[in-house]
């Protein structure tokens, strides 16, 4: 089934925040952000801005009726700065005016005196100064200390990944409308309607039941609107609260890039020990996460880095420690993969380093260490592994031996053009790592004409979750999909939602829809049985008709529904789902946190222009474990988008802050994202149908985040192509591998500039 939004999308008729018709009297907001990354506020002068014609009022922290606090995990984040500023762009004041242009112009007239304090942008410096967001955490398995002695080879090094701008096409924004009795209706481009509602209630000092958050869809979120949509909505609501007027704020692109956090950059140390036959015996990693100024979601991101620190491999002895480091940058946040990609990059670097020094392809080490059924993850859960199946299937169906031979031939025949190949296996845990978040609710109404309305806590952000929700209802009722509509996500209809995140939205909300629909079916069966004068047990709903004992009757879905209504049977249901069997004990860092894992293997090939340092990805060929996909079109879209987004992170998207904490890559002219020309020439996706039972909706495994991690293969494919040209090159494990870095490596005599000298220790 096609994505249900495609019809309105291609006509430009889909409604995003900026398309909502404005109410009369709507005012427009703009935030004034700190020009300095760190310092004490000595004086704030609003007078010139206030005098501008059209400026209605300027709000500061003094106007907050409740608490000036929007921190989600740690209460360390003010809505508006009070005495200090902690990053460039930190909101200090909120101008409300009769037009957006006037509001922006007024922010330029605000003057602020700041007494500067020391600025930290590097997470390692933050760790040295003990600027930690939360205490460090360590995951352990076996005993690394004694495993080093048994290791034939030991390698150490540094691996670094930079941040990533979410670049949702729709920027952040909100529109708030006053209702009677101090109720407020909030349109917000958020992945977490309840997060908006909850924090707004705290800031305004009113109960949550006065705040109706409504979301039609987002023009992308990618994690950037899991927590960071809240701020803008509350700024608007603060103004609406005081002025009793509708207030809208839709950020400019450069404003959004400057003020919002990105994927957490990491700087990590690794140490890997291998046996003579290339089994990984021990792995130690220390992760330094650049959290930015406040906690935001970083502690949860940090946790997922630890969960995924061994990627798809079984390692018997592991010690992984992670530090969440406070810096004077906008708070970094959720981004597709949520710390998992950052963790996986480090072990892939460790394997690549070992392979370099042993003079073998990394794939030999990768393949030998893939997780098998029953292997234990460092956090205690046992794998139900498809890792090996995916790998083997990829090797066979994509004829890897032939591919390798072709590449070797090409490389021997071409001097200034080289090809590289890399394998990237993935393993990603599905569930929110915070157990309580693994719950969802759905409200299903069957109307008297047989049409169906479905509401859930799921937010549509392009990932196709509404299409899947519709499919669940249409399948359970066995009616034509055109009879079902999915309604907006609304906190008055569905309460206490978890954000649409962790790739779990379809599973959690879909199961709730399934339960609600099944309950309604069970109420309808006796009605049909009575009409047909048979027993309930032989009744079945199939293809819009009632079937009795396996035979189609004349009784239609519409007739059945109307008869049930006449008999005063409840045709609506509100259902709740909570993932069973999951748990985690953080005091020992062990448990069974994930409902299941998603596996896969990608083979990436690249052609490198060794004169210019530019490159083109020939192909990404994937075997991916979907369980049994419920929507191949939507799932293929997620795969392709995730792969390209991952390649962007690994190769061209380069976030640059200067030492003063100012974002230099602050527009699309200086921050390069993949366009249609940088998409691999070929993306092959083989849907591996895996038979194991799982907790996914209709056994269709979550697909939102996992494919991003295939992009890591792009880094290593490029690295291999560089080494084919210049065997003495030792490109640093420092992503992104931009064309500049590629060019430097191609002509370097030894290691390319790396953050610190790389330690290489061969045992004995
Ligand atoms: N796909 C599109 N088109 N737009 C998005 O914003 N977000 C990604 C992924 N795919 C995103 C997307 C992220 S970060 C997550 S967690 C999942 O979708 C969320 O949706 P799901 O739980 O329904 O997979
Ligand atoms: N993934 C995404 N978002 C989250 C998670 C997670 O595991 N935990 C809390 N928010
Ligand atoms: Mo996705 S990073 O869990 O929103």
């Amino acid at each position: 089934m096609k994505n249900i939004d495609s019809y309105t999308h291609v006509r430009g008729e889909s409604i995003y925040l900026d398309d909502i018709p404005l109410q009369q009297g709507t005012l427009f907001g703009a935030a004034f952000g700190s020009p300095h990354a760190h310092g004490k506020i000595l004086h704030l002068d609003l007078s010139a801005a206030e005098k501008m014609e059209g400026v209605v009022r300027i709000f500061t922290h003094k106007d907050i009726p409740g608490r000036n606090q929007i921190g989600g995990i740690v209460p360390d984040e003010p809505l508006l700065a009070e005495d200090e500023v902690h990053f460039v762009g930190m909101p200090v004041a909120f101008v409300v005016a009769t037009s957006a242009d006037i509001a922006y112009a007024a922010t330029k007239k605000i003057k602020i005196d700041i007494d500067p304090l020391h600025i930290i942008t590097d997470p390692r410096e933050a760790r040295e100064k003990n600027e930690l967001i939360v205490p460090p955490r360590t995951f352990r398995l076996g005993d690394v200390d004694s495993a080093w002695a048994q290791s034939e080879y030991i390698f150490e090094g540094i691996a670094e990944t930079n941040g990533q701008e979410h670049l949702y096409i729709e920027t952040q924004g909100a529109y708030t409308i006053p209702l009677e009795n101090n109720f407020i209706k909030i349109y917000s481009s958020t992945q977490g309607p309840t997060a908006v509602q909850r924090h707004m209630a705290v800031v305004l000092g009113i109960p949550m039941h006065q705040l109706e958050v409504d979301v039609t869809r987002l023009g992308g979120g990618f994690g950037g609107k899991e927590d960071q949509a809240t701020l803008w909505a509350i700024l608007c609501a603060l103004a609406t609260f005081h002025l009793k007027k509708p207030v809208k704020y839709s950020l400019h692109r450069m404003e959004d890039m400057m003020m919002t956090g990105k994927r957490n950059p990491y700087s990590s140390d690794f140490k890997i020990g291998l046996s003579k036959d290339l089994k990984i015996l021990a792995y130690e990693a220390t992760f330094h996460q650049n959290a930015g100024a406040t906690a935001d979601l970083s502690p949860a991101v940090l946790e997922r880095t630890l969960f995924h620190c061994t990627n798809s491999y079984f390692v018997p002895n592991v010690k992984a420690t992670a530090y969440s480091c406070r810096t004077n940058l906008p708070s970094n946040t959720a981004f597709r993969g949520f710390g998992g990609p950052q963790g996986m990059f480090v072990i892939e670097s460790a394997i690549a380093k070992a392979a370099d020094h042993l003079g073998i392809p990394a794939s030999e080490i990768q393949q030998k260490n893939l997780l098998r059924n029953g292997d234990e993850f460092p956090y205690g859960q046992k794998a139900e592994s498809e890792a090996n199946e995916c790998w083997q299937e990829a090797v066979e169906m994509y004829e890897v031996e032939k591919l390798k031979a072709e590449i070797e031939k090409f490389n021997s025949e071409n001097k200034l053009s080289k090809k590289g190949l890399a394998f990237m296996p993935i393993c990603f845990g599905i569930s929110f790592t915070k157990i309580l978040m693994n719950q969802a609710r759905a409200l299903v109404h069957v109307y008297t004409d047989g049409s169906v309305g479905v509401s859930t806590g799921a937010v549509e952000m392009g990932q196709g979750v509404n299409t899947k929700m519709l499919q669940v209802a249409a399948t359970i009722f066995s009616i034509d999909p055109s009879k079902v509509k999915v309604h907006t996500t609304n906190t008055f209809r569905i309460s206490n939602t978890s954000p649409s995140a962790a790739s779990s939205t379809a599973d959690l909300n879909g199961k709730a829809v399934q339960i609600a629909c099944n309950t309604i079916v069970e109420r309808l069966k006796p009605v049909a049985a009575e009409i047909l004068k048979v027993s309930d047990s032989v009744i079945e709903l199939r293809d819009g008709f009632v079937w009795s004992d396996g035979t189609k009757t004349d009784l239609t879905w519409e007739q059945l529904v109307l008869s049930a209504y006449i008999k005063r049977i409840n045709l609506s249901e509100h259902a709740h789902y909570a993932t069973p069997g999951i748990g985690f004990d953080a005091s020992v860092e062990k448990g069974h946190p994930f409902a299941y894992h998603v596996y896969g293997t990608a083979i990436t090939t690249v052609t490198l222009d060794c004169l210019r340092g530019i490159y083109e990805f020939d192909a990404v060929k994937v075997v991916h474990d979907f369980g049994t996909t419920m929507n191949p079109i939507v799932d293929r879209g997620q795969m392709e988008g995730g792969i390209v987004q991952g390649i962007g992170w690994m190769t061209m998207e380069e976030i640059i802050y200067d030492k003063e904490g100012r974002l230099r890559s602050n527009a699309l002219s200086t921050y390069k994202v993949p366009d249609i020309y940088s998409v691999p020439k070929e993306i092959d996706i083989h849907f591996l149908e895996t038979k194991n039972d799982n907790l996914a909706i209709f056994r269709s495994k979550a697909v939102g985040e996992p494919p991003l991690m295939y992009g890591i293969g792009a880094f290593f494919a490029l690295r291999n192509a560089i080494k084919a040209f210049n065997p003495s090159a030792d490109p640093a494990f420092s992503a992104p591998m931009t064309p500049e870095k590629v060019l430097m490596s191609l002509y370097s005599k030894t290691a390319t500039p790396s953050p610190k000298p790389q330690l290489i220790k061969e045992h004995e």
Side-chain angles (χ1 to χ4, degrees):
M1 182 179 173
K2 273 201 300 203
N3 188 318
I4 52 171
D5 279 345
S6 47
Y7 185 85
T8 52
H9 277 1
V10 295
R11 278 161 204 264
E13 290 169 3
S14 298
I15 303 266
Y16 298 88
L17 187 96
D18 229 12
D19 304 309
I20 297 169
L22 294 184
Q23 289 203 2
Q24 215 166 28
T26 292
L27 300 173
F28 299 86
F32 168 73
S34 169
H36 293 283
H38 195 195
K40 286 203 183 329
I41 300 178
L42 300 176
H43 184 65
L44 182 68
D45 180 3
L46 304 175
S47 56
E50 278 170 341
K51 282 196 202 104
M52 277 182 70
E53 197 176 321
V55 170
V56 177
R57 188 166 157 184
I58 303 177
F59 297 89
T60 67
H61 71 93
K62 291 180 188 143
D63 299 302
I64 292 172
R67 286 179 58 213
N68 184 17
Q69 185 50 250
I70 58 168
I73 297 177
V74 180
D76 65 351
E77 187 177 353
L79 178 79
L80 291 166
E82 294 189 15
D83 314 319
E84 286 194 2
V85 289
H86 297 284
F87 63 92
V88 173
M90 177 173 176
V92 179
F94 185 58
V95 179
V96 174
T98 50
S99 81
D101 287 346
I102 295 173
Y104 279 111
T107 61
K108 306 275 188 279
K109 299 216 165 161
I110 294 176
K111 293 192 198 82
I112 189 166
D113 276 346
I114 290 174
D115 186 16
L117 293 167
H118 177 67
I119 295 164
I120 300 179
T121 58
D122 171 12
R124 289 187 189 252
E125 181 188 343
R127 182 193 160 189
E128 275 161 27
K129 299 198 162 132
N130 211 27
E131 285 287 346
L132 299 181
I133 299 275
V134 285
R137 290 176 67 174
T138 300
F139 280 22
R140 283 173 220 272
L141 182 68
D143 175 12
V144 275
D145 295 324
S146 61
W148 301 124
Q150 290 149 33
S151 300
E152 181 76 15
Y153 313 109
I154 298 175
F155 303 96
E156 287 186 286
I158 290 173
E160 296 198 315
T161 48
N162 202 340
Q164 187 176 21
E165 167 61 46
H166 298 87
L167 218 87
Y168 22 67
I169 290 178
E170 178 193 36
T171 55
Q172 303 268 4
Y175 183 33
T176 54
I177 290 164
L179 305 175
E180 62 178 20
N181 296 318
N182 290 325
F183 278 42
I184 299 176
K185 178 155 187 173
I186 303 105
Y187 294 103
S188 165
S189 180
T190 180
Q191 291 174 243
T194 294
V196 170
Q197 185 193 26
R198 186 192 298 126
H199 294 293
M200 194 177 285
V202 169
V203 173
L204 298 182
I206 60 176
M208 286 166 75
H209 66 195
Q210 285 177 223
L211 301 169
E212 178 186 5
V213 182
D214 194 271
V215 184
T216 299
R217 68 166 64 70
L218 317 186
F222 303 110
K225 297 171 182 170
E226 180 173 341
D227 248 29
Q228 298 209 351
T230 301
L231 172 68
W232 323 107
I234 303 182
L235 289 176
C236 290
L238 179 66
T240 290
F241 181 88
H242 286 291
L243 302 171
K244 306 278 179 278
K245 293 272 191 186
V247 177
K248 183 177 160 181
Y249 185 18
S250 171
L251 275 70
H252 285 174
R253 176 65 64 188
M254 285 176 77
E255 200 184 12
D256 187 306
M257 289 177 84
M258 179 185 73
M259 289 182 155
T260 65
K262 302 160 200 326
R263 181 189 292 284
N264 294 91
Y266 276 62
S267 178
S268 311
D269 302 318
F270 62 77
K271 182 172 174 185
I272 191 167
L274 298 110
S275 68
K276 205 179 177 87
D277 61 352
L278 303 181
K279 283 277 188 193
I280 304 174
L281 296 182
Y283 179 62
E284 199 171 322
T286 307
F287 300 102
H288 302 98
Q289 176 198 55
N290 192 334
T294 67
D296 191 275
L297 289 163
S298 291
V301 171
L302 187 84
E303 185 175 52
R304 200 177 266 279
T305 299
L306 291 171
F307 281 120
H308 296 313
C309 70
T310 53
N311 188 12
S312 244
Y313 311 109
F314 172 63
V315 184
N317 303 288
V318 177
K319 183 179 171 203
T321 302
Y323 295 86
S324 184
C325 307
R326 191 193 312 281
T327 58
N328 297 111
L329 300 178
S331 304
N332 289 311
T333 193
F335 196 133
R336 206 169 193 173
F338 205 75
Q342 292 97 317
M344 291 181 192
F345 180 80
V346 180
I347 193 160
E348 293 302 329
S349 297
I351 291 172
K353 179 145 200 171
D356 279 0
H357 286 273
L358 297 173
I360 54 170
S363 56
E364 270 190 49
I365 303 175
Q366 291 174 306
Q367 191 270 330
K368 281 212 165 75
N369 292 281
L370 291 172
L371 280 160
R372 302 292 176 133
N373 250 339
D375 282 344
E376 189 177 336
F377 290 100
Y379 48 91
Q381 189 163 340
K382 297 269 169 40
E384 283 179 52
S385 178
E386 316 282 358
N388 212 45
E389 285 77 349
C390 292
W391 181 288
Q392 290 311 335
E393 187 79 23
V395 166
E396 281 158 37
M397 76 178 300
Y398 298 126
E399 302 185 280
V400 168
E401 287 316 312
K402 206 172 130 209
L403 199 59
K404 280 186 185 162
E406 282 166 14
I407 289 177
E408 247 170 64
K409 183 163 178 283
F410 180 93
N411 286 350
S412 67
E413 289 171 357
N414 290 277
K415 215 171 156 200
L416 286 176
S417 181
K418 297 288 177 190
K419 285 186 188 286
L421 173 148
F423 277 76
M424 182 63 200
I426 61 148
C427 165
F428 195 77
I430 302 302
S431 284
F432 284 96
T433 56
K434 191 162 180 66
I435 301 298
L436 77 83
M437 294 174 81
N438 296 287
Q439 54 172 313
R441 280 153 292 280
L443 176 63
V444 176
H445 293 313
V446 179
Y447 294 95
T448 53
D449 63 355
S451 66
V452 175
V454 176
S455 294
T456 73
V459 170
E460 175 62 51
M461 49 184 145
Q463 86 280 41
V465 71
N466 280 356
T467 306
K468 290 185 175 179
M469 296 305 97
L470 186 153
Q471 282 182 277
V472 174
T475 305
I476 307 272
F477 290 144
S478 198
I479 53 177
D480 193 85
S482 64
K483 291 212 175 340
V484 184
K485 286 283 178 251
V486 178
H487 293 149
T488 61
T489 315
N490 183 296
T491 57
F492 280 1
R493 257 178 283 122
I494 302 293
S495 65
N496 309 328
T497 61
S498 291
S500 287
S503 306
S504 302
T505 319
D507 281 359
L508 296 173
N509 292 279
K511 294 256 180 175
V513 174
Q514 184 179 31
I515 294 167
C517 294
N518 277 329
T519 304
I520 293 170
V521 168
E522 289 313 308
R523 288 193 205 120
L524 290 173
K525 278 184 180 172
V527 178
E530 200 184 321
I531 295 168
L532 298 169
K533 300 190 173 55
V534 294
S535 94
D536 300 2
S537 62
V538 299
I539 296 292
E540 217 189 318
L541 302 181
R542 213 195 286 175
D543 302 333
F545 284 85
V546 177
W547 291 54
S548 170
D549 221 357
T551 312
K552 186 173 167 182
T553 71
D554 291 337
L555 187 59
T556 64
W557 161 258
E558 289 79 4
Q559 289 165 341
L560 174 62
V561 165
L562 192 58
S563 307
Y565 171 71
I566 290 164
K567 286 179 181 297
R568 299 185 294 168
I569 300 295
N570 179 5
L571 291 173
S572 295
E573 183 65 10
H574 178 266
H576 169 86
Y577 175 75
T579 314
I582 51 172
F584 193 70
D585 180 353
S587 69
V588 290
E589 306 286 24
K590 296 281 179 197
H592 187 103
F594 298 118
Y596 57 90
H597 291 85
V598 171
Y599 295 89
T601 290
I603 299 164
T604 302
T605 45
V606 69
T607 304
L608 179 59
D609 173 340
C610 301
L611 204 55
R612 298 173 184 82
I614 56 175
Y615 44 79
E616 197 167 23
F617 288 97
D618 301 320
V620 179
K621 296 169 186 264
V622 187
V623 172
H624 185 86
D625 147 37
F626 284 91
T628 307
T629 176
M630 67 184 285
N631 193 318
I633 301 176
V634 165
D635 286 356
R636 185 178 294 274
Q638 285 294 292
M639 291 287 293
E640 292 179 353
I643 289 168
V644 174
Q645 198 167 36
I647 292 177
W649 174 51
M650 280 286 116
T651 64
M652 64 172 75
E653 298 185 39
E654 190 171 35
I655 288 179
I656 297 176
Y657 285 100
D658 63 20
K659 291 271 177 251
E660 267 64 59
R662 285 176 307 211
L663 182 67
R664 287 303 152 113
S665 49
N666 64 350
L668 292 179
S669 51
T670 45
Y671 185 76
K672 296 292 183 192
V673 289
D675 57 16
I676 194 65
Y677 302 105
S678 39
V679 169
K681 280 192 274 184
E682 196 185 332
I683 298 182
D684 276 352
I685 293 156
H686 177 67
F687 287 58
L688 188 73
E689 289 233 353
T690 48
K691 298 285 170 271
N692 286 347
D693 203 11
N694 62 44
L695 285 169
I697 180 68
F698 291 166
R699 297 190 60 258
S700 178
K701 284 191 172 185
V703 71
E705 293 165 286
L708 182 127
M709 282 151 272
Y710 292 130
I712 295 171
F715 180 96
F716 292 95
L718 258 180
R719 205 171 172 277
N720 290 337
I722 293 168
K723 290 175 82 73
F725 177 79
N726 175 5
S728 70
D730 186 12
F733 298 104
S734 173
M737 183 81 93
T738 55
E740 291 90 329
K741 283 194 206 164
V742 170
L743 196 62
M744 303 257 280
S745 276
L746 282 169
Y747 297 96
S748 74
K749 300 241 156 42
T750 52
T752 43
S754 128
K756 276 188 191 166
Q758 299 201 26
L759 312 160
I760 308 149
K761 283 186 195 160
E762 301 238 12
H763 198 53
E764 311 209 19

